Amino acid sequence: MSRVVLDVSGLGVALPHGSDRAHAVRDISFSVNAGEIVCLLGESGSGKSIIAQTVMGLLPAHVRATEGQALLLGEDVLKYTPEQLRAVRGVRMSMIFQEPMTALNPVMACGEQVDEMLTQHTALPAEERRRKILDIFAQVKLPEPERIYASYPHQLSGGQRQRIMIAMALMLEPALLIADEPTTALDVTTQAEILRLIRQLQREHNTGVLFITHDMGVVAEIADRVVVLQLGKLVEQGTKLEVLQSPREAYTRMLLDAVPSLEPPELAHQPEAPAVAPVLLVRDLQKTYVSRNWFGRKREVDAAIGVNLTVERGETVGIVGESGSGKSTVARCIVRLIEPTAGHIEVLGQHMHGRSIASLKPLRKKVQIVFQDPYRSLNPRQTVGAAIIEGPMNFGASRTAAWQRAEALMELVRLAPSALNRYPSEFSGGQRQRICIARTLAMDPELLICDEAVSALDVSVAAQILELLAEIQQRLHLALLFITHDLRVAAQICDRVIVMEKGRIVEQGRTRDVFTHPQQPYTRALLAAAPGREFAFGHKHAALAPA
Amino acid sequence: MLQFLIRRLLAVIPVLFVVAVVVFLILRLTPGDPAAVIAGNSATLEDIANIRKSLGLDEPLLIQFGIWFKAILTGDLGHSFYYRLPVTELIGQRLEPTFMLALFTIVLAVMVSVPLGVLAAWRHGGWLDRGLMGFSVLGFSIPVFVLGYILIWIVSLKLNLLPVQGYKRIGEGFWPFVSHLILPAVTLAVIYIALIARVTRAAVSEALTEDYIRTARSKGLPEVRVLIKHALANAAVPIVTVIGIGIALLIGGVVVTETVYAIPGLGQLTVDAVLARDFPVVQGVILFFSVAYVLINLLVDLSYIVLDPRIRY
């Protein structure tokens, strides 16, 4: 029997007065053994990060643990003085974070940041410290450790930065590693590499890992045991197979069902024969960003090259790709939020390119876009109603007519029409995204572009929004261009998919064909990197795709 | 990098040209005749005309400007009407006290304000924070000369601790040199302490909310190191910027302070020259300050490279 590294029992963390609930988490008990990965799984607001911060002693000043204990190697860290805590951080327990882009100090060389760990907790001479750091850089598979040592964070990629964080965290071989969504901000192929790395190092060093995530796929990849949390309460815990295959609680089942399956549904939706011009036709679209440095030297970046695509009425076309693939650039060029460098864009047979902003106006109405972050795409000082009627009124609708339409649209997106008089801050993320959809629909678009429209949402909420989009598309017979990095979402909602890499289309075809018989190595790599492939998630949601 | 330096140094030329034109015109277009001042009360109109001629003031404006500007290009700032000495020599004589005062002031201001700002940011909303904010409002609002006379009255006249006025060169002994500079430097530093402390507090507060601070704490680093190596290091760019602005603004403050404490520096030289309508001296001093200002800005810009590795020119 391996030893218990972390034993949390009856943990409760109180929130300050005036919060939406009295306790961030309450009555939480679980343990992490040496050499074991325990996943804390939950949606936003479940309190999973609060638990990690409590154990590390990194809670914000006004939040504190009020009950229970958290034994790290048998000692209660909740009773530690700040000095004691400082002495064990990095030595017995360490932590890696979600955002590798911001988790490292931008003005300090990476080697130096790792070195701080050693100077603080050991008495090793400089020579020895440097050797150890280069050694661990090699272990986390950073290329050219010497160069990385002297590099600043901004000179490295997201994946490399996360490797630095892992190197730093494991430097002193802590008994417990807390990983707070360490791969959420990374591309899927990088995520697969980092997960493999954590797995491997954790086995080599026999580290106990507390892994916090909202992603079922990641759980399936990495967990030994799973603890499911909901709104600060522990729902259930068990081994990975128990929780993923035979969950006891309804909430866990719901979470599992909400994960879209990677397998596209059998009965692919048949778009009607293109009797009329396609809703969207893009030929040889190119977008090149030119920047000049101080000496007038030109630097060109091709964000999109030679992009061809069409979207028919009633059809959903997905563009999938990793960050930097150019998928959002294409979307923004189509709606002319940015100017394409070259190419031909037609909406309903009318040219979009080469037109003045003024003459674009009637076409703009026909093309609407839903953005990724519903927290930032609504004006916080404008009521929901005002946001929705603004567009139609710009096109000459009377206020009363626009308002009546807004009320009907609120019902369509399953919100109460009375909510029109409230402000965005009064709504949850999912509700806000529904409002954004209603806002675009108010313009009676022919083409709806969704740019990562469900990426910022919890899985259960995302499932609802996808369902809503599919239903609306059916009812209104819209053409839908769906941009996403999430292959599972694409598999479920798209009739056709386009795979982009570094500004170019590498593969396109019927979703089912692309997912079951990918032709290009890049597509195969993307599919192979999707976490949790061996678990068939989301069976129930086969019905989600337009049938 | 080298190209950046050359480009910035070349940019000094148009700046100085504009400054030269503006200074020249302001002096000529404001009322007051240097010849009359030099000639004194008992002079005849003829005397004054002779003096005007000898100073070259009878030429048309454009010619006067041309002569003066040509001389500048060769490094000659002209001769003082009043002292009958080359302006460059006058500036040289008066530079030391002003430079020393500015140096004392800025060092004092930085040494006091940066730690205060960091502590206030660290204990955001605490008594130190609120105290500092209160002090900075006071520091901003109290005029230099009021503060100067209050300090003289208390420290020099009542407590008899420091000399009232004057300046001693460092060659005349270290303590006399320092003791004469303490009060002027404190007087002048107050406003900069207020300014720099406020900016430091804001910049460090912001840095303290960043993810890398959490990372630093999770490494088990002591709070002092977190504050200095992680928070302050990241807050350095705005702080250095405001220190640079402070040094530039100091030029104005020096004029009043030197008058209050009777320090024979560039500030006093300027005041005397303006009162005496000593055009070449005023023009020379302003040009000199402009060059200093541009160079300080260049130094600040260059310091960014050291402070933030993401900045490259």
Side-chain angles (χ1 to χ4, degrees), chain A residues 128 312 395 513:
Chain A
E128 179 80 349
E312 308 284 348
F395 282 92
D513 298 341

Side-chain angles (χ1 to χ4, degrees), chain B residues 137-274:
Chain B
V137 172
L138 199 71
F140 278 131
S141 3
I142 192 161
V144 171
F145 63 90
V146 173
L147 183 65
Y149 287 123
I150 292 175
L151 282 178
I152 291 176
W153 183 64
I154 297 174
V155 180
S156 304
L157 298 180
K158 291 282 164 204
L159 300 176
N160 224 353
L161 289 175
L162 292 166
V164 176
Q165 278 188 331
Y167 179 77
K168 292 270 185 281
R169 286 177 188 275
I170 196 161
E172 299 171 58
F174 186 70
W175 174 244
F177 165 70
V178 173
S179 65
H180 279 88
L181 273 176
I182 291 176
L183 278 190
V186 169
T187 308
L188 201 47
V190 165
I191 192 165
Y192 300 106
I193 291 172
L195 180 72
I196 300 168
R198 268 197 102 113
V199 171
T200 304
R201 169 184 175 270
V204 173
S205 297
E206 203 193 313
L208 280 174
T209 65
E210 298 285 344
D211 288 353
Y212 49 75
I213 297 297
R214 192 182 52 185
T215 306
R217 289 193 174 134
S218 80
K219 290 200 278 192
L221 298 181
E223 207 58 17
V224 178
R225 192 169 170 89
V226 173
L227 281 177
I228 293 172
K229 287 292 282 185
H230 293 272
L232 185 59
N234 273 285
V237 165
I239 297 171
V240 169
T241 307
V242 80
I243 292 173
I245 295 171
I247 296 175
L249 289 174
L250 205 59
I251 294 165
V254 157
V255 174
V256 180
T257 311
E258 284 182 357
T259 311
V260 170
Y261 288 97
I263 295 171
L266 286 174
Q268 269 209 353
L269 180 66
T270 316
V271 173
D272 292 346
V274 169

Side-chain angles (χ1 to χ4, degrees), chain A residues 150-403:
Chain A
S151 298
Y152 288 95
H154 71 278
Q155 295 163 325
L156 308 178
S157 71
Q160 288 175 331
R161 293 185 214 194
Q162 201 59 295
R163 284 167 201 271
I164 301 259
M165 286 296 294
I166 293 171
M168 193 150 78
L170 296 180
M171 187 81 238
L172 298 167
E173 307 218 356
L176 175 70
L177 172 70
I178 301 177
D180 189 355
E181 304 258 11
T183 59
T184 305
L186 303 175
D187 277 328
V188 53
T189 49
T190 317
Q191 161 167 293
E193 288 165 19
I194 295 287
L195 289 178
R196 216 175 301 136
L197 179 71
I198 292 177
R199 201 32 155 169
Q200 181 206 333
L201 291 173
Q202 169 265 340
R203 282 200 182 124
E204 281 169 19
H205 300 269
N206 202 31
T207 318
V209 178
L210 183 62
F211 195 106
I212 291 148
T213 184
H214 69 282
D215 188 334
M216 282 290 179
V218 170
V219 172
E221 284 300 311
I222 203 165
D224 293 316
R225 287 193 299 119
V226 185
V227 177
V228 183
L229 298 166
Q230 182 194 14
L231 295 173
K233 295 202 175 60
L234 197 151
V235 176
E236 72 172 291
Q237 57 179 316
T239 65
K240 174 167 74 176
L241 287 183
E242 282 167 8
V243 173
L244 293 191
Q245 289 183 339
S246 44
R248 289 191 301 273
E249 299 297 322
Y251 178 72
T252 317
R253 263 198 301 281
M254 187 279 290
L255 278 185
L256 286 165
D257 289 342
V259 180
S261 166
L262 251 186
E263 195 179 327
E266 284 288 347
L267 284 171
H269 166 60
Q270 294 287 330
E272 58 205 75
V276 283
V279 176
L280 174 70
L281 175 80
V282 175
R283 286 282 163 263
D284 289 322
L285 178 73
Q286 185 176 347
K287 175 66 192 177
T288 308
Y289 287 100
V290 180
S291 57
R292 279 172 197 282
N293 65 11
W294 265 81
F295 317 119
R297 218 173 288 143
K298 259 202 326 200
R299 211 173 84 90
E300 291 190 355
V301 179
D302 289 316
I305 323 162
V307 173
N308 294 307
L309 62 95
T310 55
V311 187
E312 308 284 348
R313 236 173 114 73
E315 187 188 31
T316 303
V317 175
I319 304 183
V320 297
E322 299 190 288
S323 53
S325 65
K327 53 190 195 301
S328 286
T329 303
V330 170
R332 274 147 211 240
C333 283
I334 292 168
V335 291
R336 284 279 295 272
L337 280 174
I338 53 177
E339 284 296 309
T341 312
H344 180 101
I345 301 167
E346 251 180 58
V347 173
L348 299 163
Q350 287 182 287
H351 296 302
M352 283 288 271
H353 59 281
R355 275 176 177 243
S356 67
I357 296 295
S359 69
L360 260 180
K361 204 178 163 193
L363 277 178
R364 286 222 192 264
K365 196 168 170 320
K366 298 289 168 206
V367 185
Q368 290 294 308
I369 185 162
V370 179
F371 296 98
Q372 171 168 2
D373 191 344
Y375 289 91
R376 290 190 299 175
S377 52
L378 286 168
N379 181 344
R381 303 247 178 265
Q382 201 177 30
T383 62
V384 169
I388 294 176
I389 65 170
E390 194 177 23
M393 282 175 64
N394 276 339
F395 282 92
S398 75
R399 197 188 164 80
T400 34
W403 195 267

Side-chain angles (χ1 to χ4, degrees), chain B residues 4-228:
Chain B
F4 167 75
L5 258 182
I6 295 168
R7 194 192 281 246
R8 284 293 299 268
L9 288 173
L10 288 179
V12 175
I13 296 168
V15 171
L16 290 188
F17 181 76
V18 172
V19 171
V21 173
V22 170
V23 171
F24 184 87
L25 286 179
I26 287 176
L27 286 178
R28 309 296 146 140
L29 297 179
T30 46
D33 185 350
V37 177
I38 293 167
N41 289 335
S42 58
T44 62
L45 278 178
E46 201 176 328
D47 291 340
I48 293 174
N50 282 334
I51 294 172
R52 286 180 67 89
K53 200 174 173 64
S54 71
L55 295 177
L57 288 172
D58 53 341
E59 302 279 356
L61 268 189
L62 205 59
I63 305 281
Q64 283 188 40
F65 182 76
I67 295 168
W68 178 63
F69 196 72
K70 217 173 112 194
I72 292 176
L73 293 181
T74 63
D76 176 10
L77 290 176
H79 275 66
S80 161
F81 293 166
Y82 188 75
Y83 297 97
R84 303 274 160 186
L85 282 171
V87 173
T88 42
E89 200 182 313
L90 274 172
I91 291 177
Q93 284 173 2
R94 302 295 194 95
L95 186 58
E96 188 209 291
T98 302
F99 177 77
M100 288 301 173
L101 176 58
L103 188 72
F104 263 61
T105 306
I106 237 29
V107 169
L108 178 71
V110 170
M111 277 180 7
V112 175
S113 63
V114 172
L116 275 180
V118 172
L119 286 175
W122 185 48
R123 288 279 173 254
H124 205 104
W127 61 267
L128 180 78
D129 188 21
R130 273 173 290 170
L132 182 70
M133 288 305 100
F135 164 80
S136 66
V137 172
L138 199 71
F140 278 131
S141 3
I142 192 161
V144 171
F145 63 90
V146 173
L147 183 65
Y149 287 123
I150 292 175
L151 282 178
I152 291 176
W153 183 64
I154 297 174
V155 180
S156 304
L157 298 180
K158 291 282 164 204
L159 300 176
N160 224 353
L161 289 175
L162 292 166
V164 176
Q165 278 188 331
Y167 179 77
K168 292 270 185 281
R169 286 177 188 275
I170 196 161
E172 299 171 58
F174 186 70
W175 174 244
F177 165 70
V178 173
S179 65
H180 279 88
L181 273 176
I182 291 176
L183 278 190
V186 169
T187 308
L188 201 47
V190 165
I191 192 165
Y192 300 106
I193 291 172
L195 180 72
I196 300 168
R198 268 197 102 113
V199 171
T200 304
R201 169 184 175 270
V204 173
S205 297
E206 203 193 313
L208 280 174
T209 65
E210 298 285 344
D211 288 353
Y212 49 75
I213 297 297
R214 192 182 52 185
T215 306
R217 289 193 174 134
S218 80
K219 290 200 278 192
L221 298 181
E223 207 58 17
V224 178
R225 192 169 170 89
V226 173
L227 281 177
I228 293 172

Side-chain angles (χ1 to χ4, degrees), chain B residues 267-291:
Chain B
Q268 269 209 353
L269 180 66
T270 316
V271 173
D272 292 346
V274 169
L275 295 176
R277 300 272 140 198
D278 195 346
F279 295 167
V281 173
V282 180
Q283 288 164 353
V285 172
I286 290 177
L287 273 183
F288 176 80
F289 279 147
S290 307
V291 174

Side-chain angles (χ1 to χ4, degrees), chain A residues 21-44:
Chain A
R21 57 183 201 243
H23 288 83
V25 293
R26 195 145 200 205
D27 205 14
I28 303 290
S29 303
F30 66 91
S31 63
V32 181
N33 296 322
E36 182 188 45
I37 299 185
V38 175
C39 277
L40 281 186
L41 173 71
E43 299 192 287
S44 51

